[in-house]
Amino acid sequence: MPYSPEHAVQTRGRIVESARRLFNRHGFEQVTIDQIMAAAGLTRGAFYHHFQSKNELYAAAVASFITCNPFAVQTAEAAEQLRDPRRLARMLVELYLSDEVLENIDLHCPLYALPADVARAGLEPQEAYTDLIRGMGHIYRSALKGARDASRRAETMVALCVGGMVLARTTNDPGLRKSLRASARHQALALLKVD
């Protein structure tokens, strides 16, 4: 008896979720298809029903962050309150650089969790990564509508948020982790102020 289309979508989602978590923890090269499928509770054979290659799965895992990240969850819960683009941008900066997000490795954004991997992974993962950069920049540009340098400011905010988390994630000094993120947060929020 063949599986329903809904079952196929759910199974694919389990594989992507498993891959995203393992890639965040161990990187692309260190994770095997067998490990991904075992963590998803599936066999290796099921992998090829949904994906042609590990690179294709990697791109799907990077792209999945758009809907599974803490920001997406929080904005869905507070949609009515977040019609103001500045408020939305401020919330993204605050949440992105938060202790909560830094401590939850499984939900780390690919922008700071996987940049070296993505740079070597090929076109599909790089396209998914680029979409994340553009999406984050779009939120900031919308908040800066009317500013003549909105694009530059938005890109600077993306760089501050991602860079702050990259550095905080790689140091073992708890005080430096906090101060790096606090500095990035301060500067990113200052860029939201339009004269």
Side-chain angles (χ1 to χ4, degrees):
M1 181 163 122
Y3 290 114
S4 70
E6 294 83 21
H7 180 269
V9 168
Q10 291 172 350
T11 301
R12 188 178 198 282
R14 281 175 43 205
I15 296 168
V16 169
E17 174 69 12
S18 171
R20 189 183 51 72
R21 289 178 184 271
L22 289 170
F23 290 146
N24 269 1
R25 288 188 172 270
H26 308 290
F28 179 76
E29 294 296 328
Q30 303 305 314
V31 176
T32 67
I33 291 172
D34 289 334
Q35 290 170 321
I36 293 165
M37 298 308 286
L42 299 164
T43 64
R44 183 182 179 96
F47 175 84
Y48 294 102
H49 178 72
H50 298 278
F51 300 96
Q52 292 182 9
S53 68
K54 186 177 167 187
N55 264 8
E56 182 184 347
L57 172 58
Y58 193 45
V62 169
S64 75
F65 189 75
I66 290 172
T67 57
C68 73
N69 69 74
F71 181 68
V73 171
Q74 200 168 30
T75 54
E77 292 170 356
E80 186 64 34
Q81 302 169 24
L82 296 173
R83 294 185 195 270
D84 176 15
R86 283 186 188 263
R87 198 165 168 193
L88 187 65
R90 182 178 193 77
M91 187 176 115
L92 176 56
V93 170
E94 296 282 353
L95 184 61
Y96 200 88
L97 293 162
S98 70
D99 291 339
E100 169 194 352
V101 169
L102 182 66
E103 292 166 7
N104 189 340
I105 294 170
D106 290 337
L107 290 178
H108 277 181
C109 176
L111 294 180
Y112 62 82
L114 306 170
D117 277 357
V118 170
R120 294 187 296 266
L123 189 58
E124 284 180 279
Q126 288 174 358
E127 285 174 353
Y129 194 85
T130 300
D131 288 343
L132 288 178
I133 294 169
R134 287 185 177 133
M136 191 175 194
H138 174 76
I139 290 169
Y140 296 144
R141 260 189 313 287
S142 295
L144 294 163
K145 195 171 186 165
R148 72 173 195 280
D149 59 348
S151 290
R152 181 190 56 80
R153 283 186 189 210
E155 287 177 2
T156 303
M157 291 175 72
V158 170
L160 283 164
C161 289
V162 173
M165 288 300 274
V166 166
L167 295 175
R169 189 172 183 247
T170 56
T171 182
N172 65 352
D173 180 333
L176 186 55
R177 279 180 158 199
K178 275 206 174 301
S179 67
L180 286 166
R181 289 179 297 125
S183 296
R185 182 182 305 109
H186 177 79
Q187 292 302 317
L189 292 175
L191 287 168
L192 275 176
K193 295 176 184 159
V194 180
D195 302 327

